[in-house]
Amino acid sequence: MEDELEDKVLHQTYISFVKIFSRFTNSIAFDTPVSYLWKMVRLYLLRSEVLVFTLAIIIFLMYLQTIGLWSRTLLSRLSQAMSPISAVQRMKLMEGSEADKQSWELKGSLSAAYAIKGRRMHMEDKFIINENINNTGISLFAIFDGHGGEFAANYAKDHLIQNLYNKVIELSAFKDGKTVIIPQKDSPEEPKKEEINVSVERKTSFKKSASTADDTLKKEITDPDLLAQLSKARPIITREVRPVKPVKNIAVPLSSYVDKGKINYGKLLTDEVLAADRLLVEAAKRTMNVAGTTALIAVLEGNHLIVANVGDSRGVMCDSRGNAIPVSFDHKPQQVREQKRIEAAGGYIAFNGVWRVAGILATSRAMGDYPLKDKKFVIADPDILTFNLDDHKPMFLVLASDGLWDTFTNEEAVKFIKERLDEPDFGAKSLTLQAYYRGSVDNITVLVINFLNNQVSISSQ
């Protein structure tokens, strides 16, 4: 009884309050602007559905603020996504910070590169342009297409390229009868030799190289999707890291790379790629990092072009007649020789959108990828092709990650660049963006080397 009485009292009090408030509002004259405004607010804004909707919006905005999504960057992205502008302009406007960066470009004297993140969440492509290394007349170009994270591509860019850079300088001096000693971290016990007067520039970072992440060795980058696939794969694939002895590269005498006064770039590239891969696998195991990368490296000396390829990045040369000449061939699991090699190692290939090694990796050769590398299902042995440019008299060379080749054939890419070779970047940017327009869902990197002036090997950085 007491509860019911209390409820009745509260109810009567509420009704009395509402009546008093209603009489007060109704007693206000509506012949003034303020009174008219109050009437509009009472009729339209103080409705229950309006109040509920407003409260819901406030709660939603508070939630966005809490999880850190509410920012000017979000507003700008939404506005630009709804505005009728091109995809290129939209990508530029979205670049609010280094993490938001959408494109990278680099211009050499006779080469240029352009790369975009595209429709991927992260940029895993890296590229290198080093023209006329230390005035040796030798130029070095490379593209690394990472997968499972940036770790492997960054490692290859920083370590493999640096080692090649040092070896090129040493060998150039050695074949001229001089000696250059560049300290090697892997062989501290080597006796020091007297240096002969040869000036060598040590470069720990290259002016003409591009990277999308710094200090990647200080953080672990793993791909949850790839790790999940490894867990679901057949028992022969495991993420377990077995105790291994530290890898130590054996010093190879410089004389083994020089034959009749000429550098054997095929042997040099093969040895350096495999040595870098061994160290990369060891470093990846320490952090359980399953990342990997392709490697497409081109060395140009005089009228000779040497191309080393690991994976499915590709190079195509345009000869004097406008024909497309492949300078590398993709390593795919469904190729007969690759499939036989994988099966001989006890592995298998499976179709998962595309043919994949153990149903995981879409390329049969790569640097890194230690779970597959331990079983020798994936190897890092490069294919080496050598070309005499006097035989082909090429107009240009295109090196690109598979983000381009997913939407362009060799012939289409050559024709496209041939019509745009007079552009400041020799058509690299146009070709990259055209691949994006055609629907490429991968990172896209294009590097173009212009042979028309026939001065690449003697150009000065």
Side-chain angles (χ1 to χ4, degrees), residues 70-110:
W70 182 253
S71 64
R72 287 177 296 176
T73 304
L74 178 62
L75 284 176
S76 63
R77 290 183 179 182
L78 289 175
S79 61
Q80 295 302 330
M82 298 173 63
S83 61
I85 61 176
S86 68
V88 182
Q89 293 173 317
R90 186 175 301 125
M91 284 193 296
K92 289 182 178 179
L93 289 169
M94 289 169 66
E95 294 181 3
S97 64
E98 185 65 26
D100 295 326
K101 195 170 183 180
Q102 303 292 315
S103 62
W104 295 259
E105 56 186 323
L106 193 61
K107 178 72 167 63
S109 58
L110 291 168

Side-chain angles (χ1 to χ4, degrees), residues 35-235:
S35 61
Y36 180 76
L37 180 61
W38 168 249
K39 183 178 180 181
M40 293 299 101
V41 170
R42 185 164 56 87
L43 291 177
Y44 297 105
L45 297 183
L46 296 181
R47 301 170 64 92
S48 59
E49 56 270 25
V50 175
L51 294 175
V52 171
F53 182 72
T54 303
L55 181 62
I57 291 179
I58 293 174
I59 294 174
F60 179 68
L61 294 179
M62 291 176 63
Y63 170 73
L64 290 179
Q65 180 69 28
T66 302
I67 63 176
L69 292 179
W70 182 253
S71 64
R72 287 177 296 176
T73 304
L74 178 62
L75 284 176
S76 63
R77 290 183 179 182
L78 289 175
S79 61
Q80 295 302 330
M82 298 173 63
S83 61
I85 61 176
S86 68
V88 182
Q89 293 173 317
R90 186 175 301 125
M91 284 193 296
K92 289 182 178 179
L93 289 169
M94 289 169 66
E95 294 181 3
S97 64
E98 185 65 26
D100 295 326
K101 195 170 183 180
Q102 303 292 315
S103 62
W104 295 259
E105 56 186 323
L106 193 61
K107 178 72 167 63
S109 58
L110 291 168
S111 60
Y114 192 82
I116 61 173
K117 186 188 299 185
R119 295 174 172 86
R120 287 291 181 91
M121 292 296 294
H122 304 285
M123 181 58 168
E124 298 173 339
D125 285 4
K126 312 294 173 190
F127 61 85
I128 295 291
I129 295 178
N130 274 313
E131 297 177 355
N132 191 25
I133 296 175
N134 206 45
N135 294 319
T136 59
I138 303 170
S139 298
L140 176 65
F141 309 91
I143 286 182
F144 302 103
D145 181 2
H147 48 263
E150 302 173 356
F151 177 77
N154 274 319
Y155 190 97
K157 179 186 73 70
D158 294 334
H159 295 79
L160 172 57
I161 296 301
Q162 181 68 66
N163 293 339
L164 285 172
Y165 183 92
N166 294 341
K167 279 292 176 64
V168 166
I169 296 173
E170 290 177 330
L171 289 169
S172 295
F174 180 81
K175 71 177 183 178
D176 294 334
K178 302 175 182 178
T179 303
V180 176
I181 299 299
I182 299 179
Q184 299 293 333
K185 295 180 181 180
D186 296 330
S187 54
E189 71 280 3
E190 275 192 356
K192 295 182 179 180
K193 299 180 182 178
E194 182 181 356
E195 294 187 13
I196 298 180
N197 296 329
V198 177
S199 176
V200 178
E201 293 183 21
R202 282 301 307 275
K203 296 188 178 181
T204 55
S205 61
F206 298 94
K207 287 171 62 179
K208 294 190 177 296
S209 66
S211 172
T212 59
D214 295 324
D215 299 328
T216 51
L217 295 179
K218 298 180 182 178
K219 60 181 181 180
E220 298 181 15
I221 306 177
T222 56
D223 189 332
D225 296 333
L226 186 53
L227 288 172
Q229 281 186 285
L230 288 172
S231 300
K232 296 177 182 177
R234 298 183 187 181

Side-chain angles (χ1 to χ4, degrees), residues 150-443:
E150 302 173 356
F151 177 77
N154 274 319
Y155 190 97
K157 179 186 73 70
D158 294 334
H159 295 79
L160 172 57
I161 296 301
Q162 181 68 66
N163 293 339
L164 285 172
Y165 183 92
N166 294 341
K167 279 292 176 64
V168 166
I169 296 173
E170 290 177 330
L171 289 169
S172 295
F174 180 81
K175 71 177 183 178
D176 294 334
K178 302 175 182 178
T179 303
V180 176
I181 299 299
I182 299 179
Q184 299 293 333
K185 295 180 181 180
D186 296 330
S187 54
E189 71 280 3
E190 275 192 356
K192 295 182 179 180
K193 299 180 182 178
E194 182 181 356
E195 294 187 13
I196 298 180
N197 296 329
V198 177
S199 176
V200 178
E201 293 183 21
R202 282 301 307 275
K203 296 188 178 181
T204 55
S205 61
F206 298 94
K207 287 171 62 179
K208 294 190 177 296
S209 66
S211 172
T212 59
D214 295 324
D215 299 328
T216 51
L217 295 179
K218 298 180 182 178
K219 60 181 181 180
E220 298 181 15
I221 306 177
T222 56
D223 189 332
D225 296 333
L226 186 53
L227 288 172
Q229 281 186 285
L230 288 172
S231 300
K232 296 177 182 177
R234 298 183 187 181
I236 55 177
I237 307 297
T238 175
R239 285 182 289 167
E240 178 185 359
V241 180
R242 299 175 183 175
V244 292
K245 295 181 180 179
V247 177
K248 182 179 177 181
N249 288 328
I250 300 174
V252 180
L254 295 179
S255 57
S256 64
Y257 295 118
V258 178
D259 183 21
K260 297 179 181 178
K262 294 184 179 180
I263 300 176
N264 185 344
Y265 287 104
K267 177 176 173 55
L268 173 63
L269 290 170
T270 300
D271 288 353
E272 291 299 327
V273 168
L274 293 177
D277 180 63
R278 287 192 293 270
L279 295 174
L280 169 58
V281 169
E282 182 187 15
K285 286 181 177 180
R286 287 196 293 265
T287 57
M288 294 286 286
N289 195 311
V290 297
T293 182
T294 69
L296 180 63
I297 305 170
V299 176
L300 191 62
E301 182 182 22
N303 61 345
H304 285 88
L305 171 68
I306 304 92
V307 179
N309 180 52
V310 180
D312 56 6
S313 296
R314 191 186 310 165
V316 179
M317 181 169 59
C318 176
D319 67 8
S320 58
R321 299 180 180 180
N323 299 320
I325 301 176
V327 298
S328 70
F329 295 94
D330 300 353
H331 293 132
K332 294 294 187 181
Q334 66 271 25
Q335 293 172 347
V336 175
R337 68 165 183 169
E338 295 297 294
Q339 184 176 355
K340 287 183 178 179
R341 178 186 60 76
I342 294 168
E343 292 175 348
Y348 65 97
I349 66 173
F351 190 83
N352 183 12
V354 295
W355 287 102
R356 299 176 182 272
V357 179
I360 298 172
L361 192 61
T363 179
S364 57
R365 299 193 189 189
M367 298 179 65
D369 293 295
Y370 81 81
L372 298 172
K373 188 69 62 64
D374 283 349
K375 297 293 183 180
K376 300 189 185 304
F377 301 162
V378 172
I379 60 176
D381 300 55
D383 281 341
I384 308 292
L385 294 179
T386 302
F387 300 85
N388 189 327
L389 301 184
D390 291 338
D391 296 337
H392 302 282
K393 295 179 173 58
M395 294 166 43
F396 58 86
L397 171 66
V398 178
L399 306 177
S401 61
D402 65 340
L404 172 71
W405 307 116
D406 288 343
T407 57
F408 272 86
T409 64
N410 294 354
E411 292 72 21
E412 288 174 336
V414 164
K415 181 180 178 182
F416 191 92
I417 291 293
K418 185 179 178 182
E419 297 171 351
R420 295 165 176 81
L421 203 56
D422 57 348
E423 294 181 359
D425 51 17
F426 311 125
K429 181 176 181 179
S430 299
L431 183 58
T432 302
L433 298 178
Q434 187 62 31
Y436 178 82
Y437 292 145
R438 290 190 178 188
S440 177
V441 297
D442 203 351
N443 303 144

